[in-house]
């Protein structure tokens, strides 16, 4: 394979220069990290599953008119995406209390929320991605009023879509995180869903048993992460015949 220019390497993905201007290739690694990378492991096959699952969700969103960075999947671990300027905020949507919300506010995990809650976290590993208010976002110019309105609208649509997709296969979408980027078209900019949507960035509970089918399996040592992600992929009809991990290709 031709050598490509690496643009960025994160904890779970690598971005390479794309084949044409305005595009990037997003490569899904098998690395799993939690607690701001204090816990880490390599989970063989995770990258393949997340590549296919993110494709499914992003494609579905594109199909209902929610713009995303996804163009097409290239192979088992890579997808072609639109280059965007990532807004330095993680947008979290919650339907059921869990994780940091439960810890911070003392609300028992599993408590249904009276309405979806949207939160913003400032993307800064050194600070541990702190929760931030809209006033802070505006004061420090991380996003404008219009951006915030657009981000909330995108987050709500993603929540409705993903909740429905999951419900249809017996899974409760407890919460999730998305990242949003600015795409420039001449002088115009629009906000689109970027990064990934996968069990790494969602909490997914089996509706009947409550079994966790997401990264909490890794965070809390609850069993095999590959089995959990494969179960999500199997129910959604993604890679139904090939849940077995595929070894990573060496890049560069
Ligand atoms: N999340 C994520 N990346 C992060 C932080 C959170 O994808 O850096 C996701 C997480 O998987 C969960 C949701 O956002 O689905 C809410 O996470 P929470 O704030 O409860 O934090 P956590 O308990 O994961 O520390």
């Amino acid at each position: 394979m031709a050598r490509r220019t690496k643009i960025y390497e994160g904890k779970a993905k690598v971005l390479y220069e794309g084949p044409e201007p305005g595009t990037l290739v997003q490569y899904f690694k098998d690395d799993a990290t939690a607690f701001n990378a204090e816990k880490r492991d390599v989970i063989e096959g995770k990258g393949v599953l997340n590549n296919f699952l993110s494709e499914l969700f992003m494609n579905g969103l594109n199909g209902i008119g929610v713009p995303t960075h996804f163009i097409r999947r290239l192979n088992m671990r890579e997808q072609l995406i639109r280059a965007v300027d990532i807004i330095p905020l993680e947008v979290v949507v919650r339907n059921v209390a869990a994780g940091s919300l439960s810890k911070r506010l003392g609300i028992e995990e599993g408590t249904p929320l009276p309405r979806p809650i949207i939160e913003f976290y400032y993307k800064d590993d050194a600070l541990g991605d702190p929760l931030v208010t809209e006033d802070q976002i505006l004061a420090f110019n991380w996003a404008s009023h219009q951006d915030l309105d657009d981000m909330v609208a995108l987050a709500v649509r993603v929540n409705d879509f993903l909740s429905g997709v999951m419900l249809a296969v017996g899974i409760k979408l407890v919460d999730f995180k998305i990242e949003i980027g600015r795409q420039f078209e001449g002088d115009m900019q629009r906000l689109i869903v970027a990064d990934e949507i996968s069990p790494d960035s969602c909490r997914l509970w089996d509706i009947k048993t409550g079994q966790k089918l997401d990264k909490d399996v890794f965070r809390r040592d609850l069993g095999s992460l590959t089995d959990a992600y494969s179960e999500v992929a199997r129910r959604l009809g993604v890679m139904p015949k090939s849940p077995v991990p595929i070894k990573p290709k060496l890049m560069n």
Side-chain angles (χ1 to χ4, degrees), residues 87 89 120 134 137-138 141-155 180-182 188-192:
I87 293 176
L89 298 167
F120 298 98
E134 293 199 6
I137 292 169
L138 294 170
N141 242 333
W142 296 321
S144 67
H145 263 300
Q146 183 63 57
D147 292 336
L148 280 172
D149 282 355
D150 292 351
M151 285 196 286
V152 167
L154 282 172
I180 292 174
R182 298 178 201 281
M188 299 288 289
Q189 67 143 15
R190 66 170 185 161
L191 300 192
I192 68 178

Side-chain angles (χ1 to χ4, degrees), residues 7-249:
I7 306 281
Y8 173 81
E9 177 153 6
K11 284 170 252 176
K13 296 185 294 294
V14 186
L15 293 177
Y16 295 95
E17 208 167 64
E20 51 204 74
T23 66
L24 296 172
V25 172
Q26 179 164 255
Y27 176 94
F28 287 77
K29 302 194 285 186
D30 280 341
D31 301 54
T33 62
F35 312 119
N36 208 3
E38 274 168 37
K39 180 179 168 89
R40 52 173 73 229
D41 203 350
V42 176
I43 314 279
E44 208 177 298
K46 178 174 84 78
V48 175
L49 287 159
N50 282 352
N51 184 26
F52 278 73
L53 285 166
S54 203
E55 172 192 22
L56 179 80
F57 301 136
M58 296 280 186
N59 249 340
L61 287 166
N62 286 339
I64 62 163
V66 178
T68 82
H69 72 164
F70 182 82
I71 302 173
R72 66 173 184 279
R73 187 170 55 77
L74 298 170
N75 55 46
M76 297 298 272
R77 288 185 179 272
E78 294 178 329
Q79 44 186 249
L80 184 67
I81 58 169
R82 287 176 224 290
V84 294
D85 284 358
I86 292 283
I87 293 176
L89 298 167
E90 298 193 335
V91 184
V92 168
V93 183
R94 302 177 184 275
N95 300 303
V96 175
S100 69
L101 179 87
S102 291
K103 224 179 267 167
R104 199 167 355 100
L105 302 182
I107 300 171
E108 195 185 343
E109 269 208 339
T111 309
L113 299 170
R115 45 170 278 180
I117 293 174
I118 299 180
E119 300 169 342
F120 298 98
Y121 292 82
Y122 180 51
K123 271 167 65 73
D124 186 318
D125 281 343
L127 298 176
D129 298 344
L131 180 68
V132 289
T133 65
E134 293 199 6
D135 250 8
Q136 291 168 343
I137 292 169
L138 294 170
F140 298 121
N141 242 333
W142 296 321
S144 67
H145 263 300
Q146 183 63 57
D147 292 336
L148 280 172
D149 282 355
D150 292 351
M151 285 196 286
V152 167
L154 282 172
V156 167
R157 293 194 71 191
V158 173
N159 188 40
D160 286 347
F161 172 77
L162 271 187
S163 293
V165 167
M166 292 302 178
L167 182 64
V169 295
I171 294 173
K172 176 79 194 167
L173 177 66
V174 171
D175 57 33
F176 65 92
K177 180 265 301 185
I178 51 171
E179 298 194 18
I180 292 174
R182 298 178 201 281
Q183 187 195 4
F184 295 96
E185 284 165 3
D187 287 347
M188 299 288 289
Q189 67 143 15
R190 66 170 185 161
L191 300 192
I192 68 178
V193 179
D195 190 48
E196 75 181 293
I197 300 177
S198 75
D200 267 7
S201 54
C202 302
R203 280 198 172 89
L204 306 169
W205 295 355
D206 180 81
I207 288 178
K208 278 208 199 109
T209 65
Q211 187 192 355
K212 293 180 176 32
L213 299 170
D214 55 63
K215 204 162 107 178
D216 276 348
V217 171
F218 170 72
R219 293 188 190 100
R220 303 178 189 187
D221 293 320
L222 299 176
S224 159
L225 194 73
T226 317
D227 285 356
Y229 287 21
S230 296
E231 176 62 13
V232 175
R234 188 191 63 75
R235 289 195 200 183
L236 291 167
V238 174
M239 306 173 61
K241 289 190 219 92
S242 177
V244 183
I246 283 77
K247 279 218 178 302
K249 260 190 290 185

